[in-house]
Amino acid sequence: MHTSRWWMVERESRLLVMRATGECLPYAFPGVLVLMILQWGHAPSAGLLCWGLLIYPLLALESLITLLARRCCDDDDGRIDILYRAFVLCLLATGLGWGSSAWLMMRDGDLTYALVLMLWMLAISSVQGALLVGRRGLFYLFEGVLWLLLLSRLFASSDSLLHWVGGSTLLFIGVLTQYTAKLHRFLAESIKGRVDKQLLSRRLSEESAKLDDWNAQLETQNAELDATLLRIRELAVRDPLTGVFNMRALMSELEGLRQRAEQQGAPFALSIIDLDYFKRINDQCGHPTGDEVLQQLCRIIDATLRPGEVFGRYGGEEFLLVASDCSGREHFQRMNTLCAAIAGFDWTPVTGSLPVTISCGVASWRPGTDLKLILQRADQALYQAKAQGRNRVCPETEAA
């Protein structure tokens, strides 16, 4: 656990430094350009161009590394370690690149622009001091290589003022180092605090894992029990071949509609649907094909059901479609549309050249009429539809 905590703190600080650097790097590119423009005509042209060709690729590489670091997951340890090693090397090279500016662009005879260059380097040093506060070693690495080159150039100059600038710079670096040391300690404690909270949360999660497992098992068993009960209920109200409601469910629905109609006067209508020449389909194509025809018919009708309609198997190749809040005339028109849709369906993949059509008998509720009588009128209408040539819908008035 101690090793794990150490690595978590290490990982947190590495990601913090790389991501913070990545957020500031976009400003470095125009900054370099501004510095080169300011120095143009005062610094050696060849040195200025060489420095630009040196620093820009280094900044681009550093930006790429920090971009990849920003996309890292917090637990992607291997990738973070590789990126951090690359970041350290790139930071070392970038520090050398910034420090080399004094050797490539500074002239002893142009004190003003030498001071401009030093001010830029002080700004870069301060920014990096803030960005690298999470990793003290990186701060010393970057500042060390940067100011080793800059100070060696200042003290190598024949201009005594630049020597004073070098001394002042040393004082500035000392203050910066002392100030960032306090920030580093504060940030380190903050990171350790966050890691400790993560570890505590992890331990609590581990302690509750067994309870969660038991709860999950209990939920699974409850879900299986619910599914079994649902399946039992479905078997009680569903036809096993077609999956639509069975006779029991249809009668229960019809009784509810009848009671509602008697109490509230809400009309309802129904139709008995029969497959034409179904015996011929079974005889010529086989009973499996006949079953497939029944299933496909139910799928077609089920897909066209409207709100308030209930559809189920009445028996054999007969089906019942019940529509609440619907008059006989409206239901008659509805069934004509359905009859045409069944006849127009492409049945050739199922029955070959044999057509599949339906005949329907429609009846509606009348005050004081029981279910048996309504179904009898619909059955008489169905008989009339078959007598008239099948593939048609007949209302109860025609069957009277």
Side-chain angles (χ1 to χ4, degrees):
M1 183 62 71
H2 177 73
T3 303
S4 175
R5 179 179 183 274
W6 172 86
W7 171 246
M8 291 177 68
V9 172
E10 186 76 6
R11 180 182 62 197
E12 185 92 6
S13 62
R14 290 181 178 185
L15 284 175
L16 177 65
V17 166
M18 290 191 288
R19 289 171 177 173
T21 301
E23 292 176 0
C24 292
L25 272 173
Y27 301 102
F29 291 91
V32 169
L33 181 61
V34 170
L35 178 58
M36 293 178 67
I37 292 173
L38 289 174
Q39 294 290 339
W40 190 262
H42 301 278
S45 299
L48 191 62
L49 293 175
C50 286
W51 183 74
L53 293 174
L54 171 65
I55 197 66
Y56 269 122
L58 291 174
L59 292 175
L61 179 59
E62 192 174 353
S63 296
L64 176 61
I65 294 172
T66 56
L67 175 63
L68 294 174
R70 288 201 299 273
R71 295 180 178 179
C72 272
C73 299
D74 288 346
D75 57 351
D76 196 355
D77 294 343
R79 189 178 181 188
I80 292 172
D81 185 56
I82 293 173
L83 287 174
Y84 182 72
R85 293 176 186 273
F87 178 74
V88 171
L89 293 175
C90 189
L91 193 69
L92 173 62
T94 306
L96 291 170
W98 286 111
S100 66
S101 61
W103 291 93
L104 294 173
M105 291 192 292
M106 186 183 292
R107 284 178 174 171
D108 285 345
D110 201 339
L111 182 61
T112 300
Y113 285 89
L115 292 176
V116 168
L117 179 61
M118 294 310 301
L119 287 174
W120 272 86
M121 293 305 108
L122 287 172
I124 295 297
S125 181
S126 300
V127 170
Q128 286 289 21
L131 296 177
L132 301 177
V133 68
R135 301 291 297 180
R136 199 63 177 163
L138 286 188
F139 169 75
Y140 291 135
L141 175 67
F142 180 83
E143 300 293 344
V145 296
L146 172 65
W147 287 104
L148 179 64
L149 291 174
L150 291 176
L151 290 174
S152 61
R153 178 66 180 89
L154 291 175
F155 288 117
S157 172
S158 59
D159 195 322
S160 60
L161 184 56
L162 290 180
H163 297 170
W164 282 102
V165 171
S168 302
T169 300
L170 282 173
L171 179 61
F172 171 80
I173 295 300
V175 173
L176 180 63
T177 301
Q178 184 179 7
Y179 176 70
T180 53
K182 295 180 181 179
L183 289 178
H184 172 75
R185 286 193 296 271
F186 174 78
L187 185 59
E189 291 301 321
S190 176
I191 292 174
K192 290 176 182 178
R194 288 200 301 268
V195 168
D196 288 339
K197 289 181 180 179
Q198 292 174 13
L199 290 174
L200 178 60
S201 176
R202 181 185 299 176
R203 284 195 295 269
L204 291 175
S205 298
E206 291 172 354
E207 290 296 328
S208 62
K210 291 183 179 180
L211 179 60
D212 291 341
D213 289 341
W214 281 109
N215 288 335
Q217 292 178 19
L218 183 60
E219 289 177 2
T220 301
Q221 292 173 357
N222 288 337
E224 292 174 354
L225 179 59
D226 292 342
T228 301
L229 293 175
L230 180 61
R231 178 61 179 164
I232 292 173
R233 295 192 191 99
E234 287 290 315
L235 290 175
V237 299
R238 295 283 178 179
D239 174 58
L241 175 64
T242 60
V244 298
F245 285 121
N246 59 20
M247 184 67 169
R248 177 186 300 177
L250 289 172
M251 290 302 102
S252 175
E253 183 69 23
L254 275 172
E255 180 59 28
L257 288 176
R258 188 196 66 79
Q259 293 179 7
R260 178 168 170 263
E262 294 292 347
Q263 294 171 4
Q264 303 177 14
F268 69 91
L270 59 84
S271 56
I272 298 177
I273 303 168
D274 186 75
L275 268 165
D276 297 329
Y277 302 111
F278 186 65
K279 184 177 184 302
R280 183 175 64 184
I281 294 174
N282 278 331
D283 292 342
Q284 296 187 19
C285 301
H287 287 279
T289 299
D291 290 345
E292 188 175 351
V293 169
L294 292 175
Q295 292 167 345
Q296 182 60 48
L297 174 70
C298 290
R299 284 194 290 267
I300 295 173
I301 297 177
D302 194 59
T304 64
L305 287 181
R306 299 173 180 177
E309 292 184 342
V310 178
F311 173 68
R313 192 174 183 182
Y314 192 52
E317 67 270 22
E318 288 189 341
F319 297 87
L320 193 65
L321 200 156
V322 183
S324 62
D325 298 313
C326 180
S327 66
R329 181 181 298 276
E330 293 171 336
H331 194 57
F332 174 75
Q333 296 173 349
R334 156 81 166 109
M335 296 311 297
N336 269 320
T337 302
L338 180 60
C339 185
I342 299 297
F345 184 78
D346 182 15
W347 292 95
T348 53
V350 181
T351 60
S353 60
L354 282 180
V356 177
T357 58
I358 58 173
S359 298
C360 306
V362 175
S364 59
W365 170 80
R366 298 172 187 172
T369 305
D370 61 17
L371 293 180
K372 183 177 179 181
L373 185 57
I374 299 174
L375 290 169
Q376 187 178 36
R377 293 203 309 268
D379 193 58
Q380 291 172 355
L382 172 64
Y383 179 81
Q384 188 69 22
K386 288 186 173 291
Q388 293 180 5
R390 293 180 169 82
N391 190 24
R392 67 188 65 241
V393 180
C394 187
E396 58 182 325
T397 52
E398 294 184 21

